[in-house]
Amino acid sequence: MSAANVDSLVPADPWPLPRNPTVADHIVQRLACWGVRRYFGYPGDGINGMTSALQRTHQQAQFIQVRHEETAGFAASAHVKYGGGPLGAVLVTSGPGAIHALNGLYDAKLDHQPVVALVGHTALTAEGGGYYQEVDLLALYKDVAAAFLAQLDHPSQVRHLVDRACRTALARRTVTALVLPLDVQDEAAVPDPPHAHGFYHTSSVPSSGPTVPPEADVRHAAEVLRGGERVAMLVGQGAIGAENEVREIAHRLGAGVATALLGFTVVDHREPWVTGAIGLLGTRPSWQLMRECDRLLIVGSNMPYSEFYPPPGQARAVQIDHDGTQLGLRYPTEVNLTGDAAPTLRALLHELGPGPGPTGWRQTIAGATAAWRQAQRELAEQDADPVNPQRLFVSLSERLPDNVMLAVDCGTTTAWYARHIKVRPGMLASLSGTLLSMGGGMPYALAAKLAHPDRPLVALIGDGAMQMNGVNELITVAKYWRDWADPRFVVLVLNNRDLAFVSWEQRSTEGTPMFPDSQQLPDIAYHRWAEVLGLRGDLVDRPDQVNDAWDRALQADRPTVINALVDPAELMMPPHFTADQVRKTAAAMLRGDTDWAGIIRRGLPTMVTTYRPRRA
């Protein structure tokens, strides 16, 4: 992965401590030395000292009050992903608040985002006595914050614990946590510990990260790649910031480029050599790219689906990653380069020398990609009951502002985003890429908008995720939107009254029909809820309404919720559909799937359109 961006770290001691500072005042100031100016959380008596300290900063640091601590974790992760700062920060109270935050913090850990969690705790004097909300937080957080976890028991610990938590989070791109007993937060600060045995004087200057691997290793990688006639590249979020280098080396190698979902913004998806997403939600050209390549260059990706890589022994492979422990985990790579993506690719370009790669291979890639894109557009234009969800995404892609930010939830929305949204340079987009948690879309959207209040945002959310936490966090949108320079905050809700992704997984992997008690969702008028909150609402229940709904939302003077009634039978066809998946889906229908008619109605034309041979 790319190294943390330390350029935005502010100088040490960004503001003076107040007269008679508390431990909490010292924590807030020391975190500011590391660039932490925004905290996501929810108040409670276990962190009263911390919230009081934030109140005393005179708005130099900001506390964002969300509806649920899980959102705080997601938003802190997204804060870094969307460039809001080098570190995300979560501030939650003891017991239930600490427990709630875990899911969002695991999103940050699994997607390698540096986040510091500040967790309130029972007063030291009451610990071990079965006090209200007393939970063993060191045990609870030992996995999510395995890189660094400590409890602050004395005022003189503030400097070295904060410095170590921040440095570790940045260096290892992970979650760290500090447990803060309530009574210690209000004790008198010790900004300068004694120069004595048992005390530390630490630095808040960030550490440099690895940059370029040894020259001999880069030369070896160039030798491996130079001999390829059919080169494939797979780029992930570790290549963010190396967009120019990825494009140049793809041209130099004559490569086709597939993207992990977290690396979507690295390349321009309008290019004929960009095959798009890889994996179960990926494209057929990406599948073909991997099945036919003789060389593979992986840059900043750890995509885990091994069946979507080339068969072992087919391709000679090189991998680049900031974290050496992530190298060679998914494919038997021949050269592993530990380094930042941009400078390592520049060094590799130098060793490769001038000259374009094989043009015939690129023409093959371009033909397959063009044919796939045409098939996907045909699918989006097909009739459905009542609205084809794919039509909404094709229409949106054509209307996206150049500087738009996209936040994507987990489910069918992820599939349609991966298939239809042509992300281009200047855009920002992300999702819960490894935890794949529902409920991440709205927190991501909030964090993105707070990081860039002058840019438009579109959140793509299914009705399951909207009911899980989206309806609540829409209240947070209503709380803050008037402070945004650009008020455009568009939430698309795919309302199909079904946890459709899971329903399709049950059919294709278990051979069991959709289980209504488990899968069916209440039909909620999400657009009406937006109107209750003083926002805009729009109902789409006919295909001829789609374009106008997007036009209104992207020109609105306030946040908008589009409640789109879409067909739950719309199939997400994988790039390679196996006989076993066909057999199990048929078995589900024979066992009385309640939507068997919809599966036939949409399944047959989808399969024909997706898999029939065609020319570009």
Side-chain angles (χ1 to χ4, degrees):
M1 302 297 174
S2 294
N5 177 15
V6 299
D7 294 338
S8 57
L9 290 175
V10 297
D13 300 328
W15 62 73
L17 287 167
R19 181 179 297 179
N20 303 318
T22 66
V23 164
D25 291 319
H26 191 194
I27 293 171
V28 171
Q29 189 219 39
R30 197 67 180 179
L31 283 165
C33 296
W34 289 92
V36 176
R37 299 295 185 95
R38 180 172 295 137
Y39 299 76
F40 296 93
Y42 201 82
D45 60 358
I47 53 170
N48 277 347
M50 287 295 297
T51 52
S52 296
L54 287 172
Q55 189 176 23
R56 289 190 288 270
T57 64
H58 305 292
Q59 299 181 343
Q60 294 181 87
Q62 183 183 28
F63 181 81
I64 300 298
Q65 182 206 81
V66 294
R67 303 307 105 209
H68 192 283
E69 290 91 350
E70 178 189 61
T71 295
F74 278 125
S77 175
H79 174 80
V80 183
K81 287 185 175 184
Y82 288 94
L87 274 167
V90 172
L91 178 58
V92 294
T93 192
S94 56
I99 295 167
H100 284 167
L102 282 173
N103 192 53
L105 291 174
Y106 270 106
D107 175 66
K109 178 179 180 176
L110 271 60
D111 277 357
H112 305 285
Q113 300 305 310
V115 170
V116 176
L118 305 164
V119 187
H121 194 31
T122 304
L124 283 175
T125 55
E127 279 186 29
Y131 200 71
Y132 286 117
Q133 299 184 336
E134 184 179 1
V135 173
D136 187 347
L137 295 178
L138 294 176
L140 184 69
Y141 273 65
K142 70 178 181 179
D143 180 49
V144 75
F148 183 73
L149 168 66
Q151 179 168 308
L152 195 156
D153 292 332
H154 190 275
S156 64
Q157 294 177 288
V158 169
R159 277 179 59 164
H160 73 262
L161 290 186
V162 170
D163 288 350
R164 191 173 177 195
C166 294
R167 190 182 310 281
T168 303
L170 286 166
R172 299 191 182 179
R173 297 194 64 80
T174 192
V175 174
T176 59
L178 296 178
V179 177
L180 309 176
L182 175 60
D183 48 353
V184 178
Q185 295 173 40
D186 288 322
E187 289 187 19
V190 180
D192 297 301
H195 182 55
H197 183 75
F199 295 89
Y200 299 106
H201 289 258
T202 53
S203 166
S204 61
V205 176
S207 306
S208 64
T211 54
V212 183
E215 184 178 340
D217 293 342
V218 177
R219 186 178 302 115
H220 185 193
E223 292 170 356
V224 169
L225 295 170
R226 191 183 293 115
E229 296 181 356
R230 301 182 305 279
V231 182
M233 291 178 62
L234 170 59
V235 298
Q237 69 169 340
I240 293 174
E243 292 82 0
N244 292 335
E245 290 80 5
V246 167
R247 183 179 63 254
E248 289 178 23
I249 205 161
H251 290 329
R252 172 61 187 84
L253 296 171
V257 179
T259 59
L261 288 176
L262 287 174
F264 243 45
T265 58
V266 174
V267 290
D268 187 340
H269 287 255
R270 299 169 299 181
E271 293 283 3
W273 45 270
V274 174
T275 61
I278 193 170
L280 289 171
L281 304 183
T283 71
R284 191 163 182 82
S286 290
W287 165 265
Q288 293 172 328
L289 182 73
M290 294 296 162
R291 302 301 293 182
E292 299 174 10
C293 68
D294 63 3
R295 298 290 189 276
L296 173 62
L297 174 59
I298 306 168
V299 185
S301 174
N302 197 27
M303 194 276 295
Y305 293 136
S306 58
E307 68 270 30
F308 290 93
Y309 288 91
Q314 172 186 298
R316 300 179 69 185
V318 173
Q319 186 172 1
I320 300 170
D321 204 290
H322 170 72
D323 184 353
T325 67
Q326 301 298 305
L327 293 167
L329 292 181
R330 308 303 185 195
Y331 193 77
T333 47
E334 190 170 335
V335 184
N336 293 317
L337 302 176
T338 303
D340 296 338
T344 301
L345 288 173
R346 287 195 294 270
L348 187 55
L349 278 165
H350 176 75
E351 293 294 338
L352 286 168
T359 57
W361 172 237
R362 275 241 166 147
Q363 290 171 357
T364 300
I365 294 165
T369 302
W372 167 265
R373 290 173 180 171
Q374 177 61 30
Q376 295 307 296
R377 187 165 191 98
E378 290 177 16
L379 282 173
E381 292 172 351
Q382 291 175 0
D383 291 334
D385 184 19
V387 177
N388 187 330
Q390 301 189 67
R391 185 186 298 258
L392 287 146
F393 286 73
V394 169
S395 177
L396 171 63
S397 188
E398 295 170 348
R399 290 166 167 76
L400 286 174
D402 289 337
N403 64 337
V404 75
M405 301 182 292
L406 297 163
V408 187
D409 217 295
C410 182
T412 57
T413 51
T414 318
W416 310 139
Y417 162 74
R419 298 286 175 88
H420 295 296
I421 299 297
K422 291 184 174 61
V423 176
R424 55 187 189 266
M427 296 179 179
L428 296 174
S430 198
L431 71 162
S432 177
T434 309
L435 187 62
L436 298 175
S437 176
M438 287 176 61
M442 190 68 85
Y444 270 48
L446 282 165
K449 194 67 176 181
L450 289 163
H452 305 285
D454 58 341
R455 298 178 65 164
L457 179 134
V458 178
L460 307 171
I461 300 177
D463 49 0
M466 194 65 182
Q467 292 183 19
M468 183 174 285
N469 65 0
V471 291
N472 292 328
E473 294 307 335
L474 206 59
I475 299 172
T476 311
V477 174
K479 174 181 172 69
Y480 290 106
W481 76 267
R482 290 177 178 82
D483 296 331
W484 300 335
D486 186 330
R488 290 176 293 175
F489 186 106
V490 186
V491 180
L492 170 67
V493 183
L494 292 186
N495 183 358
N496 57 18
R497 292 74 63 201
D498 179 15
L499 291 172
F501 197 99
V502 180
S503 294
W504 282 112
E505 286 179 324
Q506 288 181 333
R507 292 172 179 129
S508 64
T509 64
E510 300 293 327
T512 57
M514 192 269 276
F515 181 28
D517 289 356
S518 166
Q519 303 304 112
Q520 284 185 350
L521 295 170
D523 186 4
I524 305 299
Y526 305 101
H527 60 299
R528 297 296 187 198
W529 174 232
E531 291 168 353
V532 167
L533 296 174
L535 312 177
R536 280 194 71 256
D538 215 335
L539 175 66
V540 173
D541 57 5
R542 299 195 318 270
D544 62 351
Q545 298 171 328
V546 170
N547 292 345
D548 289 343
W550 281 124
D551 289 338
R552 287 191 295 269
L554 291 170
Q555 297 169 14
D557 64 351
R558 65 191 59 209
T560 299
V561 173
I562 298 175
N563 179 20
L565 305 187
V566 298
D567 195 337
E570 193 67 15
L571 271 70
M572 298 173 294
M573 301 300 294
H576 177 65
F577 203 52
T578 67
D580 185 61
Q581 290 169 325
V582 174
R583 179 181 61 79
K584 288 180 176 177
T585 302
M589 295 169 60
L590 292 173
R591 290 169 180 164
D593 196 295
T594 55
D595 202 13
W596 65 269
I599 295 172
I600 294 174
R601 171 175 49 80
R602 289 301 302 133
L604 292 177
T606 298
M607 291 189 69
V608 169
T609 304
T610 301
Y611 296 121
R612 77 169 183 262
R614 63 176 70 212
R615 293 182 181 272

